[in-house]
Amino acid sequence: MLSSWIIPSILFALTASIILNLVYLFLYLTERHRFLFFWLLSWFFQMFFLSGELIRSFFESIEFVEVAVHCADLLRGYFLLAGCFLFSKKEMPKLVYPVFGAGIVWVFLEEIYFPGSYIASLPIYTIVGGAHVYSGILFLRVPSLRYKGNLIAGWNFILWGIHILDYPVLRPIPEFAIAGFLLSGFFRISSAISILLIYFEWSRETEFKLDSLYKKIIDTSQEGIWIIDKFGNTTFANNKIGELYGMRPEEMLGKNLLDLVEEDRRDSVRKRLEDRKRGLTEISEYDFVNKKGEKKFAIASANPLYDDVGNYDGSLAMIVDVTSFKLIQEKLKESERQISTIISNISGIVYRCKNDPPRWTMEYISEGCLQLTGYSPAEFVEDKILDFGDIILPEDRAEVESGVSSGVEKQVPYQITYRIRKKDGTIQWCFEQGVGIFDSDGALLGLEGVIIDYSLPKKAEELISNSLREKELLLREIHHRVKNYMQVLSSLIGLQSEYATDQNARKVLEDSQNRIASMAMIHETLYSKSVESRTFLPDYIRKLIANLIRFFESDEKNFLIEIECDSIMLNQSILIPLGLILNELITNSMKHAFPKIENPKKLRVEFGLDREGFARLRVTDNGPGRTADSQPKKDSLGTELIQLLTHQLKGKTSETNGPEGYSVTIRFPLVQK
């Protein structure tokens, strides 16, 4: 028998559900949050579920009502859980979808195979109860530093979810069904109220966070914020505006704007306030002296403020301190003025042009253009009548293009000299130094540089060149004459040696003749060569060896001669002693080494720098060299001469016997003090 209390208990729960539906509908339409919409759907399906229960209380079991009630219960559990996930800003687990889908399928299977069985609906209410318990856990995990409504809602949903699990057991018993509906009505009301409490707490906390954020923005803003009321009194000023005006923001509150500005600016400020009252906005730039006596520059953006009914209620100004920018701007202007003055007074051209040979179109050219070319800058740029390339002499244009192209390609400065034809027809020598200008991607933007008058340096260059040429001719003539005198002297000594009957005397005369001949060869080589060792020494050594081979009546085919010289510039004061040393060392090889060995006779001469920067001359032959028993001839003039000349060069002599033969090394500094 149906208890008379079941219908009132259902009506109680249904009435609460209808009221809550209206509340959530109002909140959603007002706030438009998605989680409110999902909770609204949850309460709607709860209302649908209770309506089905009411129908089931009046009538016997109806199949489609049973299916609709169970589906509505599943859907309200799903939307409740989905709303909680949205509220807590978490992603809903993918497992939720198949679980609720399986619940819907079970609703139809239950009606087919277990019609009217409350126990068969246990899986459905396990899902619905689980959704409520999970929602309660989500609410308990909602972080809140200021409010505790989430604790109430969390435990309320957990207890309600546990209560839902007993529905299949208690619903068939009327006495328990009454208590169940009343208890579920209580849970519905308390859950709805606790969710509303959470929502309002969440709204207040969000508002608090926004206020805190706005305060941080205002306090840390690099712009000064100044608000005045409709009477011009200050109602708000942030720290930046206080720094700008040299006073604490608290000191500005309540003071009239006109009292805070300089007396000479009050009329213009008063006019601007009238403009605000008329609804006009303005961006203005001004300068003033603050309370600390500092001159400041500022840009202000002023806007009118209105109350709720649209009446003028004051003004808001956003003020930016641009003092540092103004100072930099003034310095830049002064720097530009100085650069302009310097460029204007340069006796030459400062330019920027396109890299478009052979035209060289000018984009900027300084005032010095008139003095150097006879043309005004305007004739190359603004009132263009010709390009700069037009005044370069045709025979110099290829060289100019080549010099510029080489510098641009290597991205290094270029230096070129060329001639131009001035406006009056005269020829002018110019020196140009410039560089290619590139953007961040490496693309060439143009050329910038300086062109100056090169007439005087060119004349000086020609004078120096002529003077050097004359000096070189004079030096060649001196070397030529010294060589001739020495050859005459060598010939006289040679004639004298033929009449000498004493062999020792004859030997001395012949040695002297060879030494004089070696010095003559030095002057002869200097007459036609530079003093660069790689050019001078090989030529001299070959002549010296050829002369000594002829003197000792040997066959040049029997000799294997190697000469290796590094490129070193030699002072002429070194060449005479160096030539004599070579003569003595090679003569020693001819006299004492080669007569004792079979052909081929090897002679190697090396000249270069060692690691310490000293010059090193080495003469090596493949003779037997000195043995341990060999004694140097104390009265040998050649040996004494080598020692004296080495001492003159501030050098040292060393001898070695090795697999390659006998070597003598002379080591001396290149710079002679």
Side-chain angles (χ1 to χ4, degrees):
M1 181 180 175
L2 186 66
S3 173
S4 59
W5 284 98
I6 289 180
I7 293 175
S9 64
I10 294 174
L11 287 173
F12 165 71
L14 181 61
T15 303
S17 181
I18 293 170
I19 294 171
L20 291 171
N21 263 279
L22 294 174
V23 170
Y24 277 93
L25 178 62
F26 171 76
L27 286 175
Y28 172 69
L29 294 175
T30 305
E31 303 292 337
R32 297 288 178 177
H33 291 301
R34 286 184 65 200
F35 59 84
L36 286 175
F37 177 70
F38 277 73
W39 286 340
L40 172 62
L41 289 176
S42 174
W43 289 111
F44 171 77
F45 283 111
Q46 288 194 51
M47 183 177 67
F48 194 90
F49 164 77
L50 291 170
S51 299
E53 287 291 343
L54 188 62
I55 293 170
R56 290 170 66 188
S57 299
F58 280 109
F59 304 100
E60 294 182 359
S61 179
I62 304 173
E63 290 183 3
F64 79 88
V65 174
E66 297 286 339
V67 172
V69 166
H70 292 324
C71 286
D73 227 8
L74 283 167
L75 288 173
R76 62 112 168 178
Y78 169 77
F79 285 114
L80 171 67
L81 189 61
C84 290
F85 273 107
L86 283 173
F87 179 75
S88 59
K89 298 179 180 178
K90 294 181 180 179
E91 187 177 358
M92 192 158 65
K94 292 184 172 32
L95 184 62
V96 171
Y97 303 107
V99 167
F100 277 93
I104 296 293
V105 172
W106 180 255
V107 167
F108 291 97
L109 292 175
E110 176 203 9
E111 195 58 39
I112 294 171
Y113 296 105
F114 309 102
S117 172
Y118 285 99
I119 297 300
S121 64
L122 184 62
I124 298 170
Y125 290 97
T126 301
I127 294 172
V128 177
H132 283 68
V133 172
Y134 202 160
S135 298
I137 293 171
L138 286 175
F139 279 124
L140 290 175
R141 290 180 177 177
V142 171
S144 177
L145 300 177
R146 297 170 58 85
Y147 309 108
K148 301 300 177 183
N150 58 314
L151 296 177
I152 300 172
W155 286 112
N156 197 87
F157 273 104
I158 290 171
L159 294 174
W160 188 9
I162 295 170
H163 169 64
I164 289 171
L165 296 175
D166 64 26
Y167 176 84
V169 178
L170 301 182
R171 177 65 178 85
I173 305 170
E175 290 77 9
F176 289 113
I178 296 169
F181 280 117
L182 290 174
L183 187 59
S184 65
F186 166 76
F187 279 128
R188 282 178 174 83
I189 294 172
S190 60
S191 297
I193 293 172
S194 61
I195 288 178
L196 290 174
L197 179 61
I198 288 175
Y199 174 70
F200 288 123
E201 287 180 348
W202 174 80
S203 299
R204 290 179 62 188
E205 190 166 356
T206 302
E207 186 179 349
F208 173 78
K209 288 178 179 178
L210 285 174
D211 289 343
S212 178
L213 178 62
Y214 292 148
K215 187 176 185 302
K216 285 180 182 178
I217 292 172
I218 290 171
D219 289 342
T220 59
S221 173
Q222 295 303 306
E223 294 181 333
I225 301 173
W226 194 346
I227 302 176
I228 59 173
D229 61 17
K230 58 185 177 182
F231 304 108
N233 297 321
T234 302
T235 57
F236 178 81
N238 69 346
N239 293 328
K240 198 66 181 179
I241 202 73
E243 291 176 15
L244 182 63
Y245 276 81
M247 54 196 306
R248 292 186 297 109
E250 295 80 6
E251 297 176 15
M252 301 176 69
L253 296 178
K255 291 187 178 180
N256 194 277
L257 174 61
L258 297 175
D259 296 332
L260 295 172
V261 300
E262 301 95 319
E263 190 173 348
D264 57 348
R265 291 185 59 238
R266 287 177 184 172
D267 289 339
S268 64
V269 171
R270 190 177 288 109
K271 181 179 178 300
R272 286 191 167 94
L273 287 176
E274 292 300 322
D275 289 339
R276 299 297 86 73
K277 292 177 181 179
R278 292 199 299 272
L280 300 177
T281 60
E282 180 186 26
I283 297 176
S284 60
E285 183 177 343
Y286 63 97
D287 61 272
F288 63 97
V289 177
N290 67 13
K291 296 297 182 181
K292 294 181 179 180
E294 300 167 336
K295 187 170 183 179
K296 295 288 184 178
F297 295 86
I299 295 176
S301 172
N303 296 276
L305 298 176
Y306 301 96
D307 59 18
D308 295 337
V309 294
N311 296 320
Y312 175 73
D313 196 36
S315 179
L316 165 67
M318 305 288 287
I319 302 173
V320 181
D321 183 358
V322 294
T323 306
S324 58
F325 297 107
K326 275 291 182 182
L327 294 175
I328 292 171
Q329 189 179 29
E330 289 178 2
K331 287 180 181 178
L332 284 173
K333 285 182 179 178
E334 177 60 19
S335 177
E336 288 175 0
R337 186 196 64 76
Q338 291 175 355
I339 292 170
S340 178
T341 303
I342 291 169
I343 291 175
S344 299
N345 288 282
I346 287 177
S347 59
I349 295 172
V350 177
Y351 71 89
R352 181 186 177 100
C353 73
K354 295 179 180 178
N355 184 33
D356 57 347
R359 296 173 61 190
W360 309 114
T361 305
M362 289 292 170
E363 296 177 344
Y364 168 80
I365 190 165
S366 65
E367 295 294 331
C369 171
L370 182 63
Q371 182 181 354
L372 187 64
T373 67
Y375 294 95
S376 67
E379 290 175 292
F380 287 107
V381 186
E382 294 92 353
D383 305 323
K384 180 179 170 183
I385 61 172
L386 77 168
D387 291 311
F388 193 82
D390 297 333
I391 64 174
I392 298 175
L393 294 190
E395 52 267 36
D396 291 352
R397 289 173 185 172
E399 186 177 349
V400 170
E401 183 175 344
S402 174
V404 174
S405 298
S406 176
V408 169
E409 184 178 344
K410 297 175 183 175
Q411 296 192 10
V412 297
Y414 54 84
Q415 294 181 342
I416 46 177
T417 55
Y418 53 87
R419 294 164 295 169
I420 63 170
R421 189 176 299 279
K422 299 175 68 172
K423 194 171 186 177
D424 59 9
T426 59
I427 304 300
Q428 170 75 55
W429 273 99
C430 295
F431 171 81
E432 178 177 345
Q433 177 165 321
V435 67
I437 305 302
F438 300 87
D439 64 13
S440 57
D441 297 324
L444 181 66
L445 299 176
L447 307 173
E448 291 181 356
V450 178
I451 305 171
I452 60 173
D453 183 354
Y454 200 65
S455 300
L456 289 177
K458 197 67 180 174
K459 288 179 182 177
E461 185 181 312
E462 290 174 358
L463 287 172
I464 291 169
S465 178
N466 292 335
S467 175
L468 286 173
R469 197 177 299 111
E470 290 174 3
K471 188 184 252 187
E472 186 180 347
L473 288 172
L474 184 59
L475 246 130
R476 286 173 182 268
E477 181 62 24
I478 290 170
H479 287 305
H480 181 62
R481 292 193 181 190
V482 170
K483 179 207 67 167
N484 289 343
Y485 293 149
M486 286 187 172
Q487 283 179 342
V488 170
L489 183 58
S490 176
S491 299
L492 289 173
I493 292 174
L495 289 172
Q496 185 64 41
S497 67
E498 291 179 3
Y499 292 99
T501 56
D502 184 1
Q503 287 299 321
N504 290 330
R506 186 170 186 170
K507 180 179 177 299
V508 170
L509 288 171
E510 288 174 349
D511 288 345
S512 298
Q513 184 184 10
N514 284 333
R515 290 175 184 126
I516 291 170
S518 72
M519 288 190 287
M521 276 188 283
I522 290 174
H523 286 283
E524 182 184 10
T525 309
L526 283 172
Y527 175 73
S528 57
K529 300 286 182 182
S530 72
V531 292
E532 198 258 334
S533 61
R534 187 180 291 176
T535 305
F536 171 80
L537 280 181
D539 189 22
Y540 169 72
I541 292 168
R542 287 190 182 91
K543 286 182 180 178
L544 179 63
I545 293 172
N547 184 61
L548 289 173
I549 288 173
R550 287 194 301 273
F551 178 78
F552 285 101
E553 298 178 352
S554 299
D555 189 351
E556 195 170 346
K557 294 179 181 178
N558 297 329
F559 287 85
L560 183 60
I561 298 166
E562 295 181 14
I563 301 170
E564 185 177 332
C565 295
D566 292 343
S567 178
I568 306 168
M569 293 303 296
L570 298 174
N571 192 309
Q572 291 191 19
S573 64
I574 294 175
L575 292 175
I576 300 296
L578 189 62
L580 288 171
I581 290 171
L582 275 167
N583 178 73
E584 294 305 320
L585 292 174
I586 296 171
T587 299
N588 283 343
S589 296
M590 292 290 185
K591 276 185 181 181
H592 306 297
F594 295 148
K596 299 176 183 179
I597 61 173
E598 298 295 329
N599 296 330
K601 298 172 175 61
K602 295 181 181 179
L603 182 64
R604 179 177 176 82
V605 180
E606 301 171 72
F607 183 76
L609 293 179
D610 62 14
R611 292 180 179 178
E612 297 177 6
F614 281 77
R616 188 189 67 244
L617 172 68
R618 178 180 293 166
V619 178
T620 306
D621 61 50
N622 61 340
R626 294 182 185 273
T627 62
D629 300 330
S630 299
Q631 297 294 328
K633 296 180 179 180
K634 295 183 180 179
D635 57 346
S636 170
L637 179 61
T639 303
E640 289 185 13
L641 194 56
I642 290 172
Q643 290 174 352
L644 285 170
L645 292 170
T646 303
H647 181 71
Q648 181 183 333
L649 292 174
K650 299 180 179 60
K652 292 181 179 180
T653 305
S654 61
E655 301 177 14
T656 56
N657 245 345
E660 295 181 358
Y662 175 71
S663 296
V664 178
T665 303
I666 309 295
R667 185 173 180 269
F668 61 91
L670 279 177
V671 179
Q672 300 291 313
K673 297 182 181 178

